[in-house]
Amino acid sequence: MSVLLSIVMPAYNEEEIIETVVRNWSAFLDTHFQPLGETRLIVVNDGSKDSTGAKLDEIAPKYPRLVVVHQKNGGHGNAVVHAYRKAVEIGSEWVFQTDSDDQFVAEDVLKLWNKREESDFIMGFRQVRHDATFRLFVTRVLKYSLFAVYGTMISDSNIPFRLIRGSFLKKLLAQLPEPLPFAPNIFLAVMARKAGQKTFDIPITHKERATGEVSIQKMKLLKVCWQSFKELFRFRQELNEKVRAIKAA
């Protein structure tokens, strides 16, 4: 069985909103993709300490496209990669990644979908971003750090709103450094751009978070950003070899 599109998302301590998120994204798939082919919604519960995992198991019978995966807490990046690998494993032609905090509008996926014949890796861009000032500052620093280290300008390199051809995603995942970096989506974006993909940076809607709270804040955020910068700086030595492998695969 071929799967046309899999939507993948990590989930951590989102008990207040997770059922709404599953309902909204399932309705989106039913409305826009049901006539086109098989779809899946893959949610990876990253060792939530609240009832997120139990709620996902409870509602799963109501949503036939929902695939629930439970793992020990490994962090957002680890859960994203786990979800990507699951989507590749089931033979997804296209994979869309987002987060489970209900800060995006599902219909914006169509903006990326309409560009799928032009690129194997397409990203959204939070032109107006509803996050704390400190997080916005860190994102700006990251953008210019990528330009300094890799000579490539990506407006929103870690955005959880990206559409990737499944076969190309498989190649990218094979080249991720081990151990997994803190923010693997940044590495995927850099490799895709360097491999010649036109990632577009399509403006999409970003909403304010209505429930829960951001798990990484202020000094912890600064610490993990410094960690990510060091990982990216080290990776520059491997990048050309990785890109050659992606193109040759």
Side-chain angles (χ1 to χ4, degrees):
M1 178 185 65
S2 176
V3 177
L4 174 64
L5 173 67
S6 286
I7 294 176
V8 303
M9 63 177 70
Y12 179 73
N13 290 353
E14 297 287 1
E15 61 182 5
E16 295 179 73
I17 198 69
I18 193 63
E19 184 168 4
T20 298
V21 169
V22 168
R23 181 171 62 248
N24 290 345
W25 284 101
S26 296
F28 169 77
L29 289 174
D30 289 345
T31 300
H32 296 283
F33 288 91
Q34 188 175 23
L36 303 179
E38 285 289 329
T39 58
R40 293 292 182 271
L41 174 60
I42 301 172
V43 182
V44 175
N45 171 39
D46 184 36
S48 295
K49 296 178 181 179
D50 63 6
S51 64
T52 298
K55 282 183 176 291
L56 285 167
D57 289 337
E58 178 186 341
I59 67 176
K62 296 194 293 185
Y63 299 100
R65 289 173 177 76
L66 176 62
V67 177
V68 179
V69 179
H70 298 283
Q71 68 170 35
K72 292 181 180 179
N73 181 252
H76 182 275
N78 180 284
V80 167
V81 171
H82 194 171
Y84 281 146
R85 288 173 175 162
K86 182 65 177 179
V88 169
E89 177 188 316
I90 64 174
S92 306
E93 184 178 347
W94 288 94
V95 180
F96 174 78
Q97 188 260 322
T98 190
D99 277 349
S100 56
D101 52 14
D102 197 34
Q103 287 193 269
F104 294 100
V105 176
E107 281 68 23
D108 277 348
V109 175
L110 301 177
K111 297 178 182 179
L112 280 63
W113 184 255
N114 291 336
K115 292 281 191 180
R116 71 190 184 282
E117 299 303 326
E118 300 177 52
S119 178
D120 292 339
F121 192 109
I122 306 168
M123 298 171 64
F125 165 51
R126 291 169 284 197
Q127 197 168 24
V128 178
R129 183 173 174 181
H130 295 282
D131 279 326
T133 302
F134 188 71
R135 295 182 73 88
L136 300 180
F137 170 75
V138 168
T139 297
R140 184 176 293 271
V141 170
L142 173 61
K143 179 171 73 171
Y144 290 107
S145 296
L146 288 178
F147 181 74
V149 175
Y150 295 112
T152 186
M153 186 68 76
I154 304 176
S155 297
D156 204 348
S157 61
N158 200 33
I159 187 172
F161 204 93
R162 54 188 63 206
L163 179 69
I164 314 171
R165 188 182 296 273
S167 56
F168 185 64
L169 176 58
K170 184 177 181 178
K171 298 175 188 179
L172 291 174
L173 292 173
Q175 300 306 321
L176 275 176
E178 292 289 348
L180 283 178
F182 177 80
N185 265 341
I186 300 175
F187 288 76
L188 296 179
V190 169
M191 289 192 291
R193 179 68 67 87
K194 290 296 185 179
Q197 295 300 317
K198 188 175 181 180
T199 56
F200 288 111
D201 298 335
I202 297 172
I204 51 92
T205 302
H206 187 242
K207 302 184 295 182
E208 292 188 28
R209 175 184 273 267
T211 62
E213 61 181 34
V214 178
S215 58
I216 301 176
Q217 301 185 39
K218 295 189 178 178
M219 291 309 298
K220 185 178 179 182
L221 178 62
L222 193 61
K223 181 179 178 181
V224 298
C225 285
W226 176 241
Q227 175 187 337
S228 294
F229 179 79
K230 290 190 293 183
E231 291 171 344
L232 286 163
F233 192 75
R234 287 194 297 268
F235 187 64
R236 78 195 192 286
Q237 299 174 350
E238 307 173 44
L239 180 62
N240 289 337
E241 180 183 344
K242 299 286 189 181
V243 170
R244 284 195 295 271
I246 291 166
K247 290 181 176 180

Coordinates of all heavy atoms in Angstrom, one line a residue, residues 30-114:
D30 N -8.8 14.6 5.5 CA -10.1 14.1 4.9 C -10.6 15.0 3.8 O -11.1 14.6 2.7 CB -11.2 13.9 6.0 CG -10.9 12.8 6.9 OD1 -10.1 11.9 6.5 OD2 -11.5 12.7 8.0
T31 N -10.5 16.3 4.1 CA -11.1 17.3 3.2 C -10.3 17.5 1.9 O -10.8 17.5 0.8 CB -11.2 18.7 3.9 OG1 -12.0 18.6 5.0 CG2 -11.7 19.7 2.9
H32 N -8.9 17.5 2.0 CA -8.1 17.9 0.9 C -7.4 16.7 0.2 O -6.9 16.8 -0.9 CB -7.1 18.9 1.3 CG -7.7 20.2 1.8 ND1 -8.2 21.1 0.9 CD2 -7.9 20.7 3.0 CE1 -8.6 22.2 1.5 NE2 -8.5 21.9 2.8
F33 N -7.2 15.6 0.9 CA -6.4 14.5 0.3 C -7.1 13.2 0.2 O -6.6 12.3 -0.5 CB -5.1 14.3 1.2 CG -4.2 15.4 1.0 CD1 -4.2 16.6 1.8 CD2 -3.2 15.4 0.0 CE1 -3.3 17.6 1.7 CE2 -2.3 16.4 -0.1 CZ -2.4 17.6 0.7
Q34 N -8.3 13.0 0.8 CA -8.9 11.7 0.7 C -9.1 11.2 -0.7 O -8.9 10.0 -1.0 CB -10.3 11.7 1.5 CG -10.9 10.4 1.6 CD -12.2 10.4 2.5 OE1 -12.8 11.5 2.6 NE2 -12.6 9.3 3.0
P35 N -9.6 12.1 -1.6 CA -9.8 11.6 -3.0 C -8.5 11.3 -3.7 O -8.5 10.6 -4.8 CB -10.5 12.8 -3.7 CG -10.9 13.7 -2.6 CD -9.9 13.5 -1.5
L36 N -7.3 11.8 -3.2 CA -6.1 11.7 -3.9 C -5.3 10.4 -3.6 O -4.5 9.9 -4.4 CB -5.2 12.9 -3.6 CG -5.8 14.3 -3.9 CD1 -4.8 15.4 -3.6 CD2 -6.2 14.4 -5.4
G37 N -5.4 9.9 -2.4 CA -4.7 8.7 -2.0 C -4.6 8.5 -0.5 O -5.2 9.3 0.3
E38 N -3.9 7.5 0.0 CA -3.8 7.2 1.4 C -3.0 8.2 2.1 O -2.0 8.8 1.6 CB -3.2 5.8 1.6 CG -4.1 4.6 1.3 CD -5.2 4.5 2.3 OE1 -4.9 4.8 3.5 OE2 -6.3 4.0 1.9
T39 N -3.4 8.5 3.3 CA -2.7 9.5 4.2 C -2.6 8.9 5.6 O -3.3 8.1 6.0 CB -3.4 10.8 4.2 OG1 -4.7 10.7 4.7 CG2 -3.4 11.5 2.9
R40 N -1.6 9.5 6.3 CA -1.4 9.1 7.7 C -1.1 10.3 8.6 O -0.5 11.3 8.1 CB -0.3 8.1 7.9 CG -0.6 6.7 7.3 CD -1.6 6.0 8.0 NE -1.9 4.6 7.4 CZ -2.8 4.4 6.5 NH1 -3.5 5.4 6.0 NH2 -2.9 3.2 6.0
L41 N -1.5 10.3 9.8 CA -1.1 11.3 10.8 C -0.3 10.6 11.9 O -0.8 9.8 12.7 CB -2.3 12.0 11.4 CG -2.0 13.0 12.6 CD1 -1.1 14.1 12.1 CD2 -3.4 13.5 13.1
I42 N 1.0 10.8 11.9 CA 1.9 10.1 12.8 C 2.3 11.0 14.0 O 3.0 12.0 13.8 CB 3.2 9.6 12.1 CG1 2.8 8.7 10.9 CG2 4.1 8.9 13.0 CD1 4.0 8.3 10.0
V43 N 1.9 10.6 15.2 CA 2.2 11.4 16.4 C 3.1 10.6 17.3 O 2.8 9.5 17.7 CB 0.9 11.8 17.1 CG1 1.3 12.7 18.3 CG2 0.0 12.6 16.2
V44 N 4.3 11.2 17.6 CA 5.3 10.5 18.5 C 5.2 11.2 19.8 O 5.5 12.3 20.0 CB 6.7 10.7 17.9 CG1 7.7 10.1 18.9 CG2 6.8 9.9 16.6
N45 N 4.7 10.4 20.8 CA 4.6 10.9 22.2 C 6.0 10.7 22.8 O 6.4 9.6 23.1 CB 3.6 10.1 22.9 CG 3.6 10.4 24.4 OD1 3.8 11.5 24.9 ND2 3.5 9.3 25.2
D46 N 6.6 11.9 23.1 CA 8.0 11.9 23.5 C 8.1 11.8 25.1 O 8.6 12.7 25.7 CB 8.7 13.1 23.0 CG 10.2 13.2 23.4 OD1 10.8 12.1 23.4 OD2 10.7 14.3 23.7
G47 N 7.6 10.7 25.6 CA 7.7 10.4 27.0 C 7.0 11.5 27.9 O 7.5 11.9 28.9
S48 N 5.8 11.9 27.4 CA 5.1 13.0 28.1 C 4.8 12.6 29.6 O 4.5 11.4 29.9 CB 3.7 13.3 27.5 OG 3.9 13.8 26.2
K49 N 4.9 13.6 30.5 CA 4.7 13.3 31.9 C 3.3 13.5 32.3 O 2.9 13.2 33.4 CB 5.6 14.3 32.7 CG 7.1 14.0 32.5 CD 7.9 15.0 33.4 CE 9.4 14.8 33.1 NZ 10.3 15.7 33.9
D50 N 2.5 14.1 31.4 CA 1.0 14.3 31.7 C 0.3 13.2 30.9 O 0.8 12.1 30.6 CB 0.6 15.7 31.2 CG 0.7 15.9 29.7 OD1 1.1 15.0 29.0 OD2 0.5 17.1 29.3
S51 N -1.0 13.4 30.6 CA -1.8 12.3 30.0 C -1.9 12.4 28.5 O -2.7 11.8 27.9 CB -3.3 12.5 30.6 OG -3.8 13.7 30.1
T52 N -0.9 13.0 27.9 CA -0.9 13.1 26.4 C -0.9 11.7 25.8 O -1.7 11.4 24.9 CB 0.4 13.9 25.9 OG1 0.3 15.2 26.4 CG2 0.4 13.9 24.4
G53 N 0.0 10.8 26.3 CA 0.0 9.5 25.7 C -1.2 8.7 25.9 O -1.7 8.1 24.9
A54 N -1.9 8.8 27.0 CA -3.1 8.1 27.3 C -4.2 8.6 26.4 O -5.1 7.9 25.9 CB -3.5 8.2 28.8
K55 N -4.3 10.0 26.2 CA -5.3 10.6 25.4 C -5.1 10.1 23.9 O -6.1 9.8 23.3 CB -5.2 12.1 25.5 CG -5.8 12.7 26.7 CD -5.8 14.2 26.7 CE -6.5 14.8 28.0 NZ -8.0 14.6 27.9
L56 N -3.9 10.0 23.5 CA -3.7 9.6 22.1 C -4.2 8.1 21.9 O -4.8 7.8 20.9 CB -2.2 9.7 21.7 CG -1.7 11.1 21.5 CD1 -0.1 11.1 21.5 CD2 -2.2 11.6 20.1
D57 N -3.9 7.3 22.9 CA -4.4 5.9 22.8 C -5.9 5.8 22.8 O -6.5 5.0 22.2 CB -3.8 5.1 23.9 CG -2.3 4.8 23.7 OD1 -1.8 4.9 22.6 OD2 -1.6 4.5 24.7
E58 N -6.5 6.7 23.6 CA -7.9 6.7 23.8 C -8.6 7.1 22.5 O -9.7 6.6 22.1 CB -8.3 7.7 24.9 CG -9.8 7.8 25.2 CD -10.1 8.9 26.2 OE1 -9.2 9.2 27.0 OE2 -11.2 9.3 26.2
I59 N -8.1 8.1 21.8 CA -8.8 8.7 20.7 C -8.4 8.0 19.4 O -9.1 8.1 18.3 CB -8.6 10.2 20.5 CG1 -7.1 10.5 20.2 CG2 -9.0 10.9 21.7 CD1 -6.8 11.9 19.9
A60 N -7.4 7.1 19.4 CA -6.9 6.5 18.2 C -8.0 5.7 17.4 O -8.0 5.8 16.2 CB -5.7 5.6 18.5
P61 N -8.9 5.0 18.1 CA -9.9 4.3 17.3 C -10.9 5.2 16.5 O -11.5 4.8 15.5 CB -10.7 3.5 18.4 CG -9.7 3.4 19.5 CD -8.9 4.6 19.5
K62 N -11.0 6.5 16.9 CA -11.9 7.4 16.2 C -11.2 7.9 15.0 O -11.9 8.5 14.1 CB -12.2 8.5 17.1 CG -13.0 8.2 18.4 CD -13.7 9.4 19.0 CE -12.7 10.3 19.6 NZ -13.3 11.4 20.4
Y63 N -9.9 7.8 14.8 CA -9.2 8.4 13.7 C -8.4 7.4 13.0 O -7.2 7.1 13.4 CB -8.3 9.6 14.2 CG -9.1 10.7 14.9 CD1 -9.2 10.7 16.3 CD2 -9.8 11.6 14.1 CE1 -9.9 11.7 16.9 CE2 -10.5 12.6 14.8 CZ -10.6 12.7 16.1 OH -11.3 13.7 16.8
P64 N -8.9 6.7 12.0 CA -8.2 5.6 11.3 C -6.9 6.0 10.7 O -6.1 5.1 10.5 CB -9.3 5.2 10.2 CG -10.2 6.3 10.1 CD -10.2 7.0 11.4
R65 N -6.7 7.2 10.4 CA -5.4 7.6 9.8 C -4.3 7.9 10.9 O -3.1 8.1 10.6 CB -5.5 8.9 8.9 CG -6.3 8.6 7.7 CD -6.6 9.9 6.9 NE -7.3 9.6 5.7 CZ -8.6 9.3 5.5 NH1 -9.3 9.2 6.6 NH2 -9.1 9.0 4.4
L66 N -4.7 7.9 12.1 CA -3.8 8.2 13.2 C -2.9 7.0 13.6 O -3.4 5.9 13.8 CB -4.5 8.7 14.5 CG -3.7 9.0 15.7 CD1 -2.7 10.1 15.5 CD2 -4.7 9.3 16.9
V67 N -1.6 7.3 13.6 CA -0.6 6.3 14.0 C 0.1 6.9 15.3 O 0.8 7.9 15.2 CB 0.5 6.0 12.9 CG1 1.5 5.0 13.5 CG2 -0.2 5.5 11.7
V68 N 0.0 6.2 16.4 CA 0.6 6.7 17.7 C 1.8 5.9 18.0 O 1.8 4.7 18.0 CB -0.4 6.6 18.8 CG1 0.2 7.1 20.1 CG2 -1.7 7.4 18.5
V69 N 2.9 6.6 18.2 CA 4.2 6.0 18.6 C 4.6 6.6 19.9 O 4.6 7.8 20.1 CB 5.3 6.3 17.5 CG1 6.6 5.6 18.0 CG2 4.8 5.8 16.2
H70 N 4.9 5.7 20.9 CA 5.4 6.1 22.2 C 6.9 5.8 22.3 O 7.4 4.8 21.9 CB 4.7 5.3 23.3 CG 3.2 5.6 23.3 ND1 2.6 6.7 23.8 CD2 2.2 4.8 22.9 CE1 1.3 6.6 23.7 NE2 1.0 5.4 23.2
Q71 N 7.6 6.8 22.9 CA 9.0 6.6 23.1 C 9.4 7.2 24.5 O 8.7 8.1 25.0 CB 9.9 7.2 22.0 CG 9.8 8.7 21.9 CD 10.9 9.3 20.9 OE1 11.1 8.7 19.9 NE2 11.4 10.4 21.3
K72 N 10.5 6.8 25.0 CA 11.1 7.5 26.2 C 11.5 8.9 25.8 O 11.8 9.2 24.6 CB 12.3 6.7 26.7 CG 12.0 5.3 27.3 CD 13.3 4.7 27.8 CE 13.0 3.3 28.4 NZ 14.2 2.7 28.9
N73 N 11.4 9.8 26.7 CA 11.8 11.2 26.4 C 13.2 11.3 25.9 O 14.1 11.0 26.5 CB 11.6 12.0 27.7 CG 11.9 13.5 27.4 OD1 12.9 14.0 27.8 ND2 11.0 14.2 26.7
G74 N 13.2 11.8 24.7 CA 14.5 12.0 24.0 C 14.7 13.4 23.5 O 15.7 13.7 22.9
G75 N 13.7 14.2 23.7 CA 13.8 15.6 23.2 C 13.1 15.8 21.9 O 12.8 14.8 21.2
H76 N 12.8 17.0 21.6 CA 12.0 17.3 20.4 C 12.6 16.8 19.1 O 12.0 16.2 18.3 CB 11.8 18.9 20.3 CG 11.0 19.3 19.1 ND1 11.5 19.5 17.9 CD2 9.7 19.6 19.0 CE1 10.6 19.9 17.0 NE2 9.5 20.0 17.7
G77 N 14.0 17.1 18.9 CA 14.6 16.7 17.7 C 14.6 15.2 17.5 O 14.4 14.6 16.4
N78 N 14.9 14.4 18.6 CA 14.8 13.0 18.6 C 13.5 12.5 18.2 O 13.4 11.5 17.3 CB 15.2 12.4 20.0 CG 15.2 10.9 20.0 OD1 14.2 10.3 20.1 ND2 16.4 10.3 20.0
A79 N 12.4 13.1 18.7 CA 11.1 12.6 18.4 C 10.7 13.0 16.9 O 10.1 12.2 16.2 CB 10.0 13.3 19.3
V80 N 11.2 14.1 16.4 CA 11.0 14.5 15.0 C 11.6 13.4 14.1 O 11.0 12.9 13.1 CB 11.5 15.9 14.7 CG1 11.6 16.1 13.2 CG2 10.7 16.9 15.4
V81 N 12.9 13.1 14.4 CA 13.6 12.1 13.5 C 12.9 10.7 13.6 O 12.7 10.0 12.6 CB 15.1 12.0 13.9 CG1 15.7 10.8 13.2 CG2 15.8 13.3 13.6
H82 N 12.4 10.3 14.8 CA 11.7 9.1 14.9 C 10.4 9.1 14.1 O 10.1 8.1 13.4 CB 11.3 8.9 16.4 CG 10.9 7.5 16.7 ND1 10.7 7.1 18.0 CD2 10.6 6.4 15.9 CE1 10.3 5.8 18.0 NE2 10.2 5.4 16.8
A83 N 9.7 10.2 14.0 CA 8.5 10.4 13.2 C 8.9 10.3 11.7 O 8.2 9.7 10.9 CB 7.8 11.7 13.6
Y84 N 9.9 11.0 11.3 CA 10.4 10.9 9.9 C 10.7 9.5 9.5 O 10.3 9.0 8.4 CB 11.7 11.8 9.8 CG 11.5 13.3 9.7 CD1 12.5 14.1 10.2 CD2 10.4 13.8 9.0 CE1 12.3 15.5 10.1 CE2 10.3 15.2 8.9 CZ 11.2 16.0 9.5 OH 11.1 17.4 9.4
R85 N 11.4 8.8 10.4 CA 11.8 7.4 10.0 C 10.6 6.5 9.9 O 10.5 5.6 9.0 CB 12.8 6.9 11.0 CG 14.2 7.5 10.9 CD 15.1 7.1 12.0 NE 16.5 7.7 11.8 CZ 17.4 7.8 12.7 NH1 17.1 7.4 13.9 NH2 18.6 8.3 12.4
K86 N 9.6 6.7 10.7 CA 8.3 6.0 10.7 C 7.6 6.2 9.3 O 7.1 5.3 8.7 CB 7.4 6.3 11.8 CG 6.1 5.5 11.9 CD 6.4 4.0 12.1 CE 5.1 3.3 12.2 NZ 5.3 1.8 12.5
A87 N 7.6 7.5 8.9 CA 6.9 7.9 7.7 C 7.6 7.2 6.5 O 7.0 6.8 5.5 CB 6.9 9.4 7.5
V88 N 9.0 7.2 6.5 CA 9.7 6.6 5.4 C 9.5 5.1 5.4 O 9.4 4.5 4.4 CB 11.2 7.0 5.6 CG1 12.1 6.1 4.7 CG2 11.5 8.4 5.3
E89 N 9.5 4.5 6.6 CA 9.3 3.1 6.8 C 8.0 2.6 6.1 O 8.0 1.5 5.5 CB 9.3 2.7 8.3 CG 9.0 1.3 8.6 CD 8.9 1.0 10.1 OE1 9.7 1.6 10.9 OE2 7.9 0.3 10.5
I90 N 6.9 3.4 6.2 CA 5.6 3.0 5.7 C 5.5 3.4 4.2 O 4.4 3.2 3.6 CB 4.4 3.5 6.5 CG1 4.4 5.0 6.4 CG2 4.5 3.0 7.9 CD1 3.1 5.6 7.1
G91 N 6.6 3.9 3.6 CA 6.5 4.2 2.2 C 5.8 5.5 1.8 O 5.2 5.5 0.7
S92 N 5.9 6.5 2.6 CA 5.2 7.8 2.3 C 5.9 8.5 1.1 O 7.1 8.7 1.1 CB 5.3 8.7 3.5 OG 4.8 8.1 4.7
E93 N 5.1 8.9 0.1 CA 5.6 9.6 -1.0 C 6.0 11.0 -0.6 O 7.0 11.5 -1.1 CB 4.6 9.7 -2.1 CG 5.1 10.3 -3.4 CD 4.0 10.3 -4.5 OE1 3.0 9.6 -4.4 OE2 4.2 11.1 -5.5
W94 N 5.2 11.6 0.2 CA 5.5 12.9 0.8 C 5.4 12.9 2.3 O 4.5 12.2 2.8 CB 4.6 14.0 0.2 CG 4.9 14.3 -1.3 CD1 4.3 13.8 -2.4 CD2 5.9 15.2 -1.7 NE1 4.9 14.3 -3.5 CE2 5.9 15.2 -3.1 CE3 6.8 16.1 -1.1 CZ2 6.7 15.9 -3.9 CZ3 7.7 16.8 -1.9 CH2 7.6 16.8 -3.3
V95 N 6.2 13.7 3.0 CA 6.1 13.8 4.4 C 6.1 15.3 4.8 O 6.9 16.1 4.4 CB 7.4 13.2 5.1 CG1 7.3 13.3 6.6 CG2 7.5 11.7 4.6
F96 N 5.1 15.6 5.6 CA 5.0 17.0 6.1 C 5.2 17.0 7.6 O 4.5 16.2 8.3 CB 3.6 17.6 5.8 CG 3.4 18.9 6.4 CD1 3.9 20.1 5.9 CD2 2.6 19.1 7.6 CE1 3.8 21.3 6.5 CE2 2.5 20.3 8.2 CZ 3.0 21.4 7.7
Q97 N 6.0 17.8 8.2 CA 6.3 17.9 9.6 C 5.8 19.2 10.2 O 6.0 20.2 9.7 CB 7.8 17.7 9.9 CG 8.1 17.6 11.4 CD 8.6 18.8 12.0 OE1 9.3 19.6 11.5 NE2 8.1 19.1 13.3
T98 N 5.1 19.0 11.3 CA 4.7 20.2 12.1 C 4.7 19.8 13.6 O 5.1 18.7 14.0 CB 3.3 20.6 11.7 OG1 2.9 21.9 12.3 CG2 2.2 19.6 12.1
D99 N 4.4 20.8 14.4 CA 4.3 20.5 15.9 C 2.9 20.3 16.4 O 1.9 20.6 15.6 CB 5.0 21.7 16.6 CG 6.5 21.5 16.7 OD1 7.0 20.5 16.3 OD2 7.2 22.5 17.1
S100 N 2.8 19.9 17.6 CA 1.5 19.5 18.2 C 0.9 20.6 19.1 O 0.0 20.4 19.8 CB 1.6 18.2 18.9 OG 2.5 18.3 20.0
D101 N 1.4 21.8 19.0 CA 1.0 22.9 19.9 C -0.1 23.8 19.3 O -0.4 24.8 19.9 CB 2.2 23.8 20.3 CG 3.0 24.3 19.2 OD1 2.6 24.2 18.0 OD2 4.2 24.7 19.4
D102 N -0.6 23.5 18.1 CA -1.7 24.2 17.5 C -1.3 25.7 17.2 O -2.2 26.5 17.3 CB -2.9 24.1 18.4 CG -4.2 24.5 17.6 OD1 -4.3 24.2 16.4 OD2 -5.1 25.1 18.2
Q103 N -0.1 25.9 16.7 CA 0.3 27.3 16.4 C 0.3 27.5 14.9 O 0.7 28.6 14.4 CB 1.6 27.6 17.0 CG 1.6 27.8 18.5 CD 2.9 28.4 19.0 OE1 3.8 27.7 19.4 NE2 2.9 29.8 19.1
F104 N -0.1 26.5 14.1 CA -0.1 26.7 12.6 C -1.5 26.4 12.1 O -2.4 25.8 12.7 CB 0.9 25.7 12.0 CG 2.3 26.1 12.4 CD1 3.0 25.3 13.3 CD2 3.0 27.1 11.7 CE1 4.3 25.6 13.7 CE2 4.3 27.4 12.0 CZ 4.9 26.7 13.0
V105 N -1.8 26.9 10.9 CA -3.0 26.7 10.2 C -2.8 25.6 9.1 O -2.0 25.7 8.2 CB -3.5 28.0 9.5 CG1 -4.7 27.8 8.7 CG2 -3.7 29.1 10.5
A106 N -3.6 24.5 9.3 CA -3.4 23.4 8.4 C -3.5 23.7 6.9 O -2.7 23.2 6.1 CB -4.5 22.3 8.8
E107 N -4.4 24.6 6.6 CA -4.6 24.9 5.1 C -3.4 25.5 4.5 O -3.3 25.5 3.3 CB -5.8 25.8 5.0 CG -7.2 25.1 5.0 CD -7.5 24.6 6.4 OE1 -7.0 25.1 7.4 OE2 -8.3 23.6 6.5
D108 N -2.5 26.0 5.3 CA -1.3 26.6 4.7 C -0.4 25.5 4.1 O 0.5 25.8 3.3 CB -0.5 27.3 5.8 CG -0.9 28.8 6.0 OD1 -1.7 29.2 5.2 OD2 -0.5 29.4 7.0
V109 N -0.6 24.3 4.5 CA 0.1 23.2 3.8 C 0.0 23.2 2.3 O 0.9 22.9 1.6 CB -0.3 21.8 4.4 CG1 0.4 20.6 3.7 CG2 0.0 21.7 5.9
L110 N -1.2 23.6 1.9 CA -1.5 23.6 0.4 C -0.6 24.6 -0.3 O -0.3 24.3 -1.5 CB -3.0 24.0 0.2 CG -4.0 23.0 0.9 CD1 -5.4 23.5 0.6 CD2 -3.8 21.6 0.4
K111 N -0.1 25.6 0.4 CA 0.9 26.5 -0.3 C 2.2 25.8 -0.6 O 2.8 26.0 -1.7 CB 1.2 27.7 0.6 CG 0.0 28.6 1.0 CD 0.4 29.7 1.9 CE -0.7 30.6 2.4 NZ -0.3 31.6 3.3
L112 N 2.6 24.9 0.3 CA 3.8 24.1 0.0 C 3.5 23.0 -1.0 O 4.3 22.7 -1.9 CB 4.3 23.5 1.3 CG 5.1 24.4 2.3 CD1 4.3 25.6 2.8 CD2 5.7 23.6 3.4
W113 N 2.3 22.3 -0.8 CA 1.9 21.2 -1.7 C 1.9 21.7 -3.2 O 2.3 20.9 -4.1 CB 0.6 20.7 -1.3 CG 0.1 19.5 -2.0 CD1 -0.9 19.5 -3.0 CD2 0.5 18.2 -1.9 NE1 -1.1 18.2 -3.4 CE2 -0.2 17.4 -2.8 CE3 1.5 17.6 -1.1 CZ2 0.0 16.0 -2.9 CZ3 1.7 16.2 -1.2 CH2 1.0 15.4 -2.1
N114 N 1.5 22.9 -3.4 CA 1.4 23.4 -4.8 C 2.7 23.6 -5.4 O 2.8 23.8 -6.6 CB 0.5 24.7 -4.8 CG -0.9 24.4 -4.5 OD1 -1.4 23.3 -4.7 ND2 -1.6 25.5 -4.0

